[in-house]
Amino acid sequence: MAKSWANPGIDLHVEPAGRGLRRGLTDALREAVRTGRLAPGTRLPPSRALAADLGIARNTVAGAYADLVAEGWLTARQGSGTRVADRPVTAPPARAPRPRPFARPAYDLRPGTPDLASFPRAEWLKAARRALAAAPNDALGYGDPRGRPELRTALAEYLARARGVRADPARVLVCAGFAHALTLLAAVLRARGVHTVAVESYGLHVHRDLLTAAGLRTVPLPFDDRGTDPAPPDGAGAVLLTPAHQFPMGAPLRPDRRAAVVDWARRTGGLVLEDDYDGEFRYDRRPVGALQGLDPDRVVHLGTASKSLAPGLRLAWAVVPPWLAEEVTAAKGAVDTCGVLDQLTLAEFLASGAYDRHVRAARLRYRRRRDALVAAVAARAPEVRVTGIAAGLHAVLRLPSGTERPVVRAAAWHGLALHGLSLFRHPRAETEPLDAVVVGYGTPPDHAWAGALDALCRALP
Amino acid sequence: MAKSWANPGIDLHVEPAGRGLRRGLTDALREAVRTGRLAPGTRLPPSRALAADLGIARNTVAGAYADLVAEGWLTARQGSGTRVADRPVTAPPARAPRPRPFARPAYDLRPGTPDLASFPRAEWLKAARRALAAAPNDALGYGDPRGRPELRTALAEYLARARGVRADPARVLVCAGFAHALTLLAAVLRARGVHTVAVESYGLHVHRDLLTAAGLRTVPLPFDDRGTDPAPPDGAGAVLLTPAHQFPMGAPLRPDRRAAVVDWARRTGGLVLEDDYDGEFRYDRRPVGALQGLDPDRVVHLGTASKSLAPGLRLAWAVVPPWLAEEVTAAKGAVDTCGVLDQLTLAEFLASGAYDRHVRAARLRYRRRRDALVAAVAARAPEVRVTGIAAGLHAVLRLPSGTERPVVRAAAWHGLALHGLSLFRHPRAETEPLDAVVVGYGTPPDHAWAGALDALCRALP
C-alpha cells in the first residue's frame, strides 16, 4: 500500500516545507477525501511509511491522521490501521479546508540541489560521534579562520586523489558554501584593483550578482559549438569557469582551451576561478581532472559538499595559490565562521572512506535516473535532444526553436517547476540564443521522481 | 595517580593544540623524563586518564607513550602500566628533543572562552540524533537566510522565558557568531546613512574594529563610578551596549540609565545594539532582563551560544525590530550561511530542556571557580580588589596604581596568559585609566584551574 501510495496516480501532491507542516498535510489529506480522490474505506499507509515517503517526521503524519480522525474524515481501529471514513462528515466550520494550502509545485526539476532524501543521515551521525570523541577541547574554541586543520588535511588528501588538485592543507580555506568563497575572492580581487571578471555565457545569475555586488563588472566569454572559449578579453583580471562540467550546458572544457586559459593567466597575471561544483559525478567518460592541477599558482580550485552531500551543511572549500592565501583568509575574518562540528564530521567522513562510498552509491542512483530520463524523452518526445549527460546531476533538453517558453509554462501547468535555458544566459552574451530546458534530475526525492518525469514528458513538444 | 598528575606540581605544562599534537606531547614527556622532573620508575597515568585530563584523543597519548617506549625513555609491561625507564638512554639523533615545542603559555585566564572541556558532548550528540531523525529532507537544502524555523522558534520561546526578550520567530536571525551579526548590522546602519556608533569606554576592540571596517566611526560613552552613561552624543545613529553585564567591568546597566538610552533611541530614531553575551550566568543577584523588553522597536537583542556552549558551534542570534528585519536578512545573503545540522541540534537542545540543564550545571561550576578566585586573592593578594563578580565568566581585579603592566608581565613569566584592563579601553575614552586585570575564570579546563589560579596569585602584588 505504501508503495502504490507513492506512485503518481495517488500522490498527494504535497511537498511539505516550513512551518504549518502538520496543518498543510492535514488540509491536503482532507481535500483528497472530500473530493473523492481517496475513496471511503481506502486504507492509508502507516504513518511511518508515509513519513519516510514524504521525508518528514512521523509525528507530523500521526498528528495529521489524529486531527482527521477527530474531524471524522478518517477512522482508526486497532489492527486495521487508518482508513478513509465511510461517510465523510461535513467539515466543522472552525477547520474548513482552505484552498491550495501549498503554493509550491508538486514536482521540482530545477537544477542545483541533490536528492536530499538520500543524505546519509545514519552514516553522518556515526562519523559525528567518532569525530567528537577524537576532537581535542581546543577544537571547540574560536578557530583558525581557514577552518579546522583536520578538515583541511582530509580535503587536501581527497582533492589530490579524486580531482588531481595540488593542495597543501595550509592553503585550503573552508567556507560556508560556494557563494561565500566567491564573495571572499571577489572582495580580494576588487581590493587588488581588478574591475572586470570574465564569466561564461551560460551560468548562474546568482554568481554574476555576487561579483557585481562586490563592485566587479562581468563580461561574457564567447560560447560556440565546441563550448566556452575561455580567453578573457583585455582588461579582465580574472575568469570564472566550470571546466569539469560546464554549468548548465554540460560539456567539459576542451583540452586545448584548458591550456589556453592557463596560458592567459600566466601571461597577464590573471586568476582563474575553477568552480568544480559536481566533479564527483561522471558516468560515461574518464574523470576530468581539476584545471588547478595545471597551475596551482594561477588557479583557485573551488569545491562544495552541496552537491555530493547536502547544501544544508554549508561547507565548501577553496584551494588558494600561496601568494593569495593570506589575503583571502583575512577577508574571511579574524575567526572561523563555519561550525567546527560539521567540519570535524566531514573530515572523518572523508578519512574513513564513508564519503567515497556515499558518492559511489549516489553516482549509481543518479545514473539510473539519467538513463530513465533519456529513455523517456526518446520514447515520448523524439523531437527533443538530451545533451550534457556524461556527468553531473542535470541535463539540457534542446527544444525546437521557439518552444522554450511554452514548455516551461506547460510544465507549470502540470505542477512541475522547470527552468528554461534562457534563465542562465548572460544578459550581454553574444551567442545565438538556444531553446532548451535545464532538467535537474537529482532534485526530486525517489517517491516523486516517476511523477516528475511524467509531468516533464507531458510538457515537452 | 591520574589525579596527582593533574596537580600543578606535576602538570606537564602542555596545552595541546593544532597539528603535531602527538609529537608535541612526546617531546614534552621526553623533556620531563630527561630533566628528571619525572623520576625513573614513576608510573604514568593510563593513556585514557591523561587523554581525558588534557582533553585530547586517547590514541594521541597512546601514540606518544609508544614512541617513547620505542626510544627507551619509558617502559610498558602488561599489568604494571607505563613507567619511566630506569636508566634513560641517550636520545637517538633522529628524534632529538627540540626546544619548547609549544610556544603557548601553560595557563590561560584571558576572558571570552568558556571551559571547553565541559561542552556536553554526549548530550549534544543525543540531541543531534533526535534532531536529524525528526528533520524533513527539505531542511538539508538551501535554507531561509534567517536560519532554520525550528531554531528561530526555540530561541524565541527561550529568550522570552529566560531573558524577557519579546521575540517573534520571524524576526530572529541566526548568525555565525556575534561578530557576524554585528557585521550585518553595521552594514545596514551604514547603508541607512549612519556614520557614528557610540560604544562603551571599555569593550572589545575587535567589535570596534568591525564597526570601523564597515565605515562607521566609534565614539566612547562616558564611564563613571555608576558605570556607563549610555546617552549617545549628537550625531550618533546607534549605540552598542552590554546592559546585563558590562564587558569587561561587570556591572549591569542601572535602571535609570536603561530607561534613558531607550528614551534616546525613541527620541532620535536611533538604534540600541544589546550585546547579551553571557546573560545566562548570574550568581548573587536576580536576573537582569534584556533591555530589548523595554522597546523591541528600538533595541536589537544579540545573543550567542559561544559562552553558554562553545564558540566552535558558531551560532549566535539577533532579534531585530520589524522595520529593520528585511534589511538585516538581505545583508546576510540569499541563502542561509549557517550549517543546518547544528541549528536543528541547538533547537532540540533548547526545546528538550538540555540547554537549561547544561546552563544550570555550568553556573554552579563557574560559581565555585569564582568563589575560589575571590578567596585566593583575599588570602594571597589583599591589596587587590575583585570586582564585577555577580555574574558572567570573568572578574576585574583592581590593582594598586601603576602595577597593571608589571602584573601582566609577571603573569607571562609564570606561564599565564592574562589581559590588562587597558587592552579593553577605547583609545579616545576620557575616563581616568584604571589599573586592573581581567580574569576569565571560565577559560581553563578543570585540570589547569588550580595551576592557573596559583600562577595568578604569584603574579599579583
Side-chain angles (χ1 to χ4, degrees):
Chain A
M1 186 68 207
K3 261 210 140 64
S4 71
W5 182 267
N7 89 19
I10 200 169
D11 193 306
L12 281 174
H13 287 239
V14 171
E15 276 291 325
R19 301 187 62 198
L21 189 53
R22 171 169 161 178
R23 185 183 293 185
L25 180 61
T26 308
D27 289 348
L29 281 166
R30 191 195 295 109
E31 193 67 5
V33 173
R34 201 183 59 75
T35 58
R37 198 146 63 88
L38 292 177
T42 301
R43 184 168 172 166
L44 276 78
S47 56
R48 186 183 300 275
L50 183 57
D53 206 39
L54 295 173
I56 62 179
R58 187 190 172 186
N59 278 350
T60 306
V61 176
Y65 282 8
D67 288 350
L68 292 169
V69 168
E71 289 175 27
W73 298 98
L74 304 179
T75 60
R77 280 203 194 83
Q78 196 70 33
S80 100
T82 305
R83 292 176 181 274
V84 178
D86 275 346
R87 199 168 38 89
V89 298
T90 310
R95 298 288 299 267
R98 293 169 306 163
R100 302 205 129 268
F102 292 101
R104 286 175 39 149
Y107 303 112
D108 191 351
L109 287 175
R110 292 171 296 187
T113 304
D115 175 13
L116 300 172
S118 72
F119 179 78
R121 298 186 184 209
E123 283 299 320
W124 187 263
L125 278 168
K126 276 186 213 162
R129 181 171 299 276
R130 292 193 303 267
L132 200 47
N137 290 328
D138 244 22
L140 301 169
Y142 293 97
D144 185 325
R146 291 173 298 179
R148 284 299 305 168
E150 294 89 339
L151 178 55
R152 290 187 283 115
T153 303
L155 281 171
E157 192 276 329
Y158 170 76
L159 293 172
R161 172 168 61 76
R163 305 291 305 125
V165 172
R166 290 196 258 162
D168 168 352
R171 298 187 294 100
V172 175
L173 189 75
V174 179
C175 297
F178 175 84
H180 182 213
L182 186 60
T183 304
L184 300 177
L185 286 159
V188 167
L189 287 169
R190 190 67 198 79
R192 292 179 77 92
V194 170
H195 292 278
T196 303
V197 175
V199 299
E200 293 168 297
S201 277
Y202 290 100
L204 279 176
H205 70 84
V206 53
H207 296 170
R208 296 193 293 262
D209 292 350
L210 282 177
L211 295 170
T212 308
L216 296 162
R217 204 171 73 94
T218 65
V219 292
L221 294 164
F223 180 86
D224 57 31
D225 53 8
R226 292 177 304 154
T228 297
D229 176 357
D234 285 349
V239 55
L240 173 62
L241 291 174
T242 47
H245 186 227
Q246 205 285 325
F247 186 87
M249 299 307 280
L253 192 62
R254 290 164 54 101
D256 56 328
R257 293 181 163 184
R258 286 165 64 94
V261 71
V262 169
D263 272 353
W264 164 83
R266 286 176 176 156
R267 205 172 56 242
T268 64
L271 194 66
V272 182
L273 309 180
E274 174 181 36
D275 176 3
D276 196 43
Y277 63 104
D278 68 358
E280 281 96 349
F281 297 109
R282 58 185 184 277
Y283 309 116
D284 311 315
R285 65 180 191 218
R286 289 181 46 219
V288 179
L291 191 65
Q292 191 261 11
L294 295 186
D295 194 339
D297 232 34
R298 308 284 5 144
V299 182
V300 178
H301 179 83
L302 296 153
T304 175
S306 292
K307 315 302 173 206
S308 56
L309 285 163
L313 294 177
R314 300 284 76 210
L315 285 175
W317 43 88
V319 184
V320 184
W323 55 274
L324 202 62
E326 202 172 306
E327 283 161 72
V328 184
T329 304
K332 198 179 166 197
V335 296
D336 195 2
T337 45
C338 299
V340 295
L341 301 186
D342 284 337
Q343 290 190 59
L344 294 169
T345 304
L346 180 55
E348 169 65 25
F349 214 70
L350 284 160
S352 68
Y355 187 87
D356 287 307
R357 283 194 299 277
H358 170 71
V359 165
R360 271 199 302 275
R363 200 183 287 147
L364 278 176
R365 262 197 318 277
Y366 292 133
R367 187 190 174 130
R368 275 199 295 268
R369 285 195 185 185
R370 182 204 65 161
D371 293 346
L373 169 69
V374 171
V377 171
R380 295 176 58 182
E383 278 189 88
V384 173
R385 193 156 58 88
V386 185
T387 66
I389 57 172
L393 305 178
H394 69 272
V396 173
L397 273 54
R398 298 281 292 274
L399 304 173
S401 183
T403 62
E404 178 181 315
R405 290 188 64 187
V407 165
V408 171
R409 269 203 302 270
W413 198 86
H414 288 289
L416 170 65
L418 187 66
H419 279 338
L421 179 62
S422 54
L423 192 73
F424 300 93
R425 193 165 185 271
H426 193 290
R428 291 191 303 282
E430 285 175 5
T431 175
E432 192 70 32
L434 299 170
D435 280 81
V437 289
V438 181
V439 174
Y441 51 82
T443 311
D446 274 339
H447 73 86
W449 165 240
L453 189 53
D454 180 62
L456 173 67
C457 289
R458 284 172 197 267
L460 291 176
Chain B
M1 185 69 208
K3 261 210 139 65
S4 71
W5 181 267
N7 88 18
I10 199 170
D11 194 304
L12 281 173
H13 287 241
V14 170
E15 278 288 328
R19 301 186 64 196
L21 190 54
R22 171 169 163 177
R23 183 183 294 184
L25 180 62
T26 308
D27 289 349
L29 281 166
R30 190 196 294 108
E31 193 68 3
V33 174
R34 202 184 56 77
T35 58
R37 198 147 64 85
L38 291 177
T42 301
R43 182 169 172 167
L44 276 79
S47 56
R48 187 184 298 275
L50 183 58
D53 207 37
L54 295 173
I56 62 178
R58 188 190 172 188
N59 278 352
T60 307
V61 176
Y65 281 7
D67 288 349
L68 293 169
V69 168
E71 290 175 27
W73 298 98
L74 304 180
T75 60
R77 280 202 194 82
Q78 194 68 34
S80 100
T82 306
R83 292 175 182 277
V84 177
D86 275 345
R87 201 168 36 87
V89 298
T90 310
R95 297 290 299 265
R98 293 169 305 161
R100 302 203 127 271
F102 291 102
R104 285 175 40 148
Y107 303 113
D108 191 351
L109 288 175
R110 292 171 298 185
T113 303
D115 174 13
L116 299 172
S118 72
F119 179 76
R121 297 186 185 209
E123 283 298 322
W124 187 263
L125 278 169
K126 277 186 212 162
R129 182 171 298 277
R130 290 193 302 268
L132 200 47
N137 290 329
D138 244 22
L140 301 169
Y142 293 98
D144 185 326
R146 291 174 297 180
R148 282 300 304 169
E150 295 89 340
L151 178 55
R152 290 186 283 117
T153 302
L155 281 170
E157 191 277 330
Y158 171 76
L159 293 172
R161 171 168 61 78
R163 305 290 305 124
V165 172
R166 291 197 257 161
D168 167 352
R171 297 187 295 100
V172 175
L173 189 76
V174 178
C175 297
F178 175 85
H180 182 214
L182 186 60
T183 304
L184 299 177
L185 286 160
V188 167
L189 287 169
R190 190 65 196 79
R192 292 179 77 92
V194 170
H195 292 277
T196 304
V197 175
V199 298
E200 294 171 297
S201 277
Y202 290 100
L204 280 176
H205 70 83
V206 54
H207 295 171
R208 296 193 294 262
D209 291 350
L210 282 177
L211 295 171
T212 308
L216 296 162
R217 204 171 72 95
T218 66
V219 292
L221 294 163
F223 180 85
D224 57 32
D225 52 8
R226 294 177 301 155
T228 296
D229 176 357
D234 286 348
V239 54
L240 174 62
L241 292 173
T242 48
H245 186 228
Q246 206 285 325
F247 186 86
M249 301 305 281
L253 192 63
R254 291 165 51 104
D256 57 329
R257 291 180 163 185
R258 286 165 64 94
V261 72
V262 170
D263 272 353
W264 165 83
R266 286 176 176 158
R267 208 172 54 244
T268 65
L271 193 66
V272 182
L273 309 179
E274 173 181 37
D275 177 4
D276 196 46
Y277 63 106
D278 67 358
E280 280 96 349
F281 297 109
R282 57 186 185 274
Y283 309 116
D284 312 316
R285 65 178 191 218
R286 290 181 45 219
V288 179
L291 190 65
Q292 191 261 12
L294 294 186
D295 194 340
D297 232 35
R298 306 289 358 148
V299 182
V300 178
H301 179 82
L302 296 153
T304 175
S306 292
K307 315 303 172 202
S308 55
L309 284 163
L313 293 178
R314 299 286 74 211
L315 285 176
W317 44 88
V319 184
V320 184
W323 55 274
L324 203 62
E326 202 172 307
E327 283 163 71
V328 184
T329 304
K332 200 181 165 197
V335 295
D336 196 2
T337 45
C338 300
V340 296
L341 301 186
D342 284 339
Q343 290 191 58
L344 294 170
T345 305
L346 180 55
E348 169 66 25
F349 214 70
L350 284 160
S352 68
Y355 188 86
D356 287 307
R357 284 193 298 278
H358 170 70
V359 165
R360 271 199 302 275
R363 201 184 285 146
L364 277 176
R365 264 197 318 276
Y366 291 134
R367 187 189 175 132
R368 277 199 294 270
R369 287 195 184 185
R370 182 203 65 163
D371 293 346
L373 169 69
V374 171
V377 171
R380 296 176 59 183
E383 279 190 87
V384 173
R385 192 156 59 86
V386 186
T387 67
I389 56 172
L393 305 178
H394 69 273
V396 173
L397 274 54
R398 297 280 291 273
L399 304 171
S401 183
T403 62
E404 178 180 314
R405 289 189 62 186
V407 165
V408 171
R409 270 203 300 269
W413 198 85
H414 289 288
L416 171 65
L418 188 65
H419 278 338
L421 179 61
S422 55
L423 193 73
F424 300 94
R425 193 164 186 273
H426 194 289
R428 291 190 304 282
E430 285 175 5
T431 177
E432 192 70 32
L434 299 168
D435 280 79
V437 289
V438 181
V439 174
Y441 51 82
T443 311
D446 273 339
H447 74 86
W449 165 240
L453 189 53
D454 180 63
L456 173 67
C457 289
R458 285 172 197 267
L460 292 176

